[in-house]
Amino acid sequence: SLHSGNREEPVFRKEKKQKIIIEVRTLQQLQSVSVSDLVERVCLDSDMLTPECMDKIIEATGKLHDSGMDIYIKFPHVCRQKTIKILSDKRALIERLSPDGLCVGNLESLGYIKNNYPDFKLMTDCGFYIFNKETASVLKQQGISEHNLAYELHRKEIMQLVKDAPSHDFYLPVYGYIPVMETAGCLLKTNNACRNGSGTECVSLIDRHKKERLVITHCDRCENTIYNSVPLSLHNEKKHMKDLGTSGIILKFTTEQEECVKKILAYWSNVMKDLPETDYPLNDFTKGHFAKGVE
């Protein structure tokens, strides 16, 4: 940093144009993404890739790709042997889509990708926990220099990480339900409603605080993802975000309907362009650890 008088001015990465990454997990969300010069990348959840949906997925991603957006596939948060088999079975679908890269969430899937897709560009997901320059350096040796920032990082920790690893691109999650647990204890199976290994479902769980949590079942690999009761949203932290030096932001969609996707994307697009903000479609949200850090 450079000093002017008594005020410290963050100068690293400030000249770089900020970009938006969008993560989707339904076909309707994908079809809601409009062409935008701000959207650098659209990342599809690997659960979306089914033979029944591939024609529509390829049609939707083709339009976005032609406009200059990269298309990535996001691999699961946890990668057990059963997950590896499922990903192997989807290889033909992945090759048919021909994505620009993959989003990796753990070391197990990184090993699988290195053996099976050695030429793909890679970025790490939030659960990879890039907390310091040493971790970033190790991943750089694996050819990975793009990262979704961990939810646990405080804004000052983010600023320091970006400064310490200037050859990396870091993206800040500003919207989305935070996954709090990946579990093999399936809610459906516990309630004698097992789907026998097909599809995904959205169900709810009432916790001990009487809050309703979104749960997405992954029936093919016998896992559930449990999310926080309200979404992360940093729309009230814009003044702090500008000084972080990150390369852009991430909008992570889970079960949002088309209209919600469009409104949130429009809001953050205006923020990135310094245009007047549209009405924000949320009243109930959390800032996560961005302002207070992990306590």
Side-chain angles (χ1 to χ4, degrees), residues 26 31 35-36 58 67 88 96 100 102 109 130 139 151 160 182 197 211 215 228 236 240 245-247 252 274:
T26 70
Q31 294 171 332
V35 171
S36 168
I58 289 173
S67 73
S88 298
R96 184 182 171 198
D100 298 284
L102 302 173
S109 55
I130 315 299
L139 288 172
Y151 294 115
Q160 188 64 49
E182 190 82 11
K211 291 186 177 180
V215 180
N228 199 12
N236 289 336
H240 297 296
T246 53
S247 297
K252 292 172 171 278
D274 290 323

Side-chain angles (χ1 to χ4, degrees), residues 163-185:
K163 186 178 181 181
D164 288 345
S167 64
H168 292 252
D169 288 308
F170 296 97
Y171 293 86
L172 176 69
V174 299
Y175 171 81
Y177 283 89
I178 299 174
V180 296
M181 181 181 291
E182 190 82 11
T183 174

Side-chain angles (χ1 to χ4, degrees), residues 226-241:
I226 303 175
Y227 292 87
N228 199 12
S229 56
V230 294
L232 168 77
S233 186
L234 299 184
H235 60 285
N236 289 336
E237 295 292 328
K238 297 184 292 296
K239 63 181 180 180
H240 297 296
M241 290 166 48

